[in-house]
Amino acid sequence: MSTENFAESTFDSSSEAPRKMLDYSSHGRTEKKLHLWTGSRHSLFFVLMAFIEAVIVIALESVIYTKFVHNNANVELGRGIPVYLLIFIICQVYQIGIALDAVRMKNTIQVIAFILLNLCCLIYSAFQFQQISDALTNLAELASSNTIALDNLHSLIYKLLVANVVIIGVCELVYIYLGARLYQEFGWRIYKKIGADPEIRNMYRWYQILLTILKIDMFFFLGYSIQYLVLVLQTRDYEFPLTIVALPLTCLFLLLAVYAVKGNQAFDVFCAIELIPIYRCNMSRGR
């Protein structure tokens, strides 16, 4: 069955029946931006919390990164810790975009994904204690002098890590509360737009899930590519320039997949999604 016949048989048998699911997504793009923020205080608080959390966490992680590099820890221990800190900072910036897009599109699945992503950040921030503590212990064993400076560095970084975990944990609790409110609010608005037909609602739910996976996948791909470039590959490896070239192309494929899904272009979705694993398999096969 073709895509057109499936859409017609699903939504309405008449030729003039609107395709409610796609009409809803296109309607969201035409709404006034002012109404987007004034229509819901929970949406505004959700985005503001994401922005405030990102600013504070980026500041804390930047201080840890600076102290780590300033004491030549990256020279003695390698580039692993600085790269992980950099990816963590990128994640905070990406979360702001996810929050903004979730509110703009009124995507309940994306709100849930944002909360889960922030929970992953909370878990990783807890792991940072052991990770950085082991790194500084190894640094103390390698450096026979300046033990007092290393002790002061360890104490400072420990305090910053504690503050980091507390900030993310408090924000996570706020996100859970706001997410529950937004789930009810967005669910009601979706109900008014697409109706109570279970089949249509199920289709729209999977539509939201696919969009959310594509958007979240972009961050994980960027994080993986950065680690692969910095920690695994050498500049003399032939995969190094290929990975640099393929990085923006893969992000472009993901964006193409997102817009193809929104425009109901099945062939474009298939091409974009199939090209991504082909590239990843080739990249990992090199090692």
Side-chain angles (χ1 to χ4, degrees):
M1 181 182 292
S2 64
T3 305
E4 292 79 10
N5 293 334
F6 176 75
E8 291 176 2
S9 61
T10 302
F11 289 98
D12 203 319
S13 59
S14 63
S15 59
E16 298 179 355
R19 302 169 72 173
K20 296 182 180 179
M21 182 178 65
L22 299 179
D23 286 348
Y24 173 68
S25 59
S26 62
H27 180 270
R29 295 192 294 267
T30 60
E31 287 183 342
K32 295 181 180 180
K33 295 182 179 180
L34 181 61
H35 177 72
L36 176 65
W37 303 113
T38 58
S40 171
R41 62 178 182 177
H42 296 112
S43 299
L44 179 60
F45 290 158
F46 188 77
V47 176
L48 285 179
M49 281 299 302
F51 180 79
I52 293 172
E53 180 196 17
V55 170
I56 297 175
V57 172
I58 288 174
L60 294 174
E61 295 290 329
S62 299
V63 173
I64 296 174
Y65 178 88
T66 303
K67 293 295 182 181
F68 211 82
V69 175
H70 180 70
N71 288 270
N72 297 321
N74 61 316
V75 177
E76 300 289 343
L77 301 175
R79 295 170 290 184
I81 299 296
V83 168
Y84 299 145
L85 293 174
L86 178 61
I87 294 175
F88 197 82
I89 292 173
I90 294 175
C91 181
Q92 296 301 313
V93 177
Y94 199 81
Q95 281 191 166
I96 298 178
I98 292 295
L100 281 169
D101 190 65
V103 170
R104 183 179 66 89
M105 298 298 297
K106 297 179 178 58
N107 190 334
T108 55
I109 303 298
Q110 193 165 322
V111 171
I112 296 173
F114 173 87
I115 296 174
L116 294 177
L117 180 61
N118 193 73
L119 179 61
C120 293
C121 292
L122 176 61
I123 295 173
Y124 176 71
S125 63
F127 285 143
Q128 278 186 323
F129 283 100
Q130 187 65 34
Q131 186 182 39
I132 295 182
S133 177
D134 293 342
L136 293 177
T137 301
N138 295 333
L139 180 62
E141 294 175 355
L142 293 174
S144 58
S145 59
N146 295 329
T147 56
I148 297 177
L150 288 176
D151 290 340
N152 294 333
L153 175 64
H154 189 278
S155 177
L156 175 60
I157 290 180
Y158 184 84
K159 294 176 181 177
L160 293 174
L161 290 176
V162 170
N164 191 39
V165 173
V166 171
I167 292 298
I168 298 178
V170 171
C171 291
E172 178 68 15
L173 295 177
V174 177
Y175 291 144
I176 292 174
Y177 169 77
L178 293 176
R181 297 294 182 178
L182 291 177
Y183 185 86
Q184 296 175 350
E185 178 184 326
F186 292 168
W188 173 243
R189 293 186 181 183
I190 293 172
Y191 173 80
K192 291 192 296 183
K193 294 295 181 181
I194 66 176
D197 190 334
E199 187 174 1
I200 297 178
R201 292 175 63 86
N202 186 57
M203 291 179 60
Y204 188 75
R205 185 181 301 111
W206 283 108
Y207 165 79
Q208 288 184 320
I209 290 173
L210 178 58
L211 285 179
T212 301
I213 290 175
L214 291 173
K215 294 170 185 177
I216 298 294
D217 187 53
M218 185 175 295
F219 163 72
F220 286 103
F221 172 76
L222 288 173
Y224 171 78
S225 298
I226 292 173
Q227 294 180 72
Y228 188 70
L229 280 171
V230 179
L231 302 179
V232 178
L233 294 179
Q234 303 294 329
T235 54
R236 63 178 178 273
D237 295 334
Y238 72 90
E239 298 103 324
F240 189 83
L242 293 178
T243 304
I244 294 177
V245 173
L247 180 60
L249 292 178
T250 306
C251 294
L252 181 62
F253 293 151
L254 286 170
L255 291 175
L256 173 63
V258 170
Y259 284 103
V261 170
K262 291 181 179 180
N264 196 30
Q265 302 295 327
F267 178 75
D268 293 342
V269 175
F270 174 79
C271 291
I273 294 179
E274 287 297 320
L275 285 173
I276 294 169
I278 290 174
Y279 159 70
R280 290 179 177 175
C281 291
N282 291 332
M283 189 169 61
S284 60
R285 188 174 57 184
R287 286 289 167 177

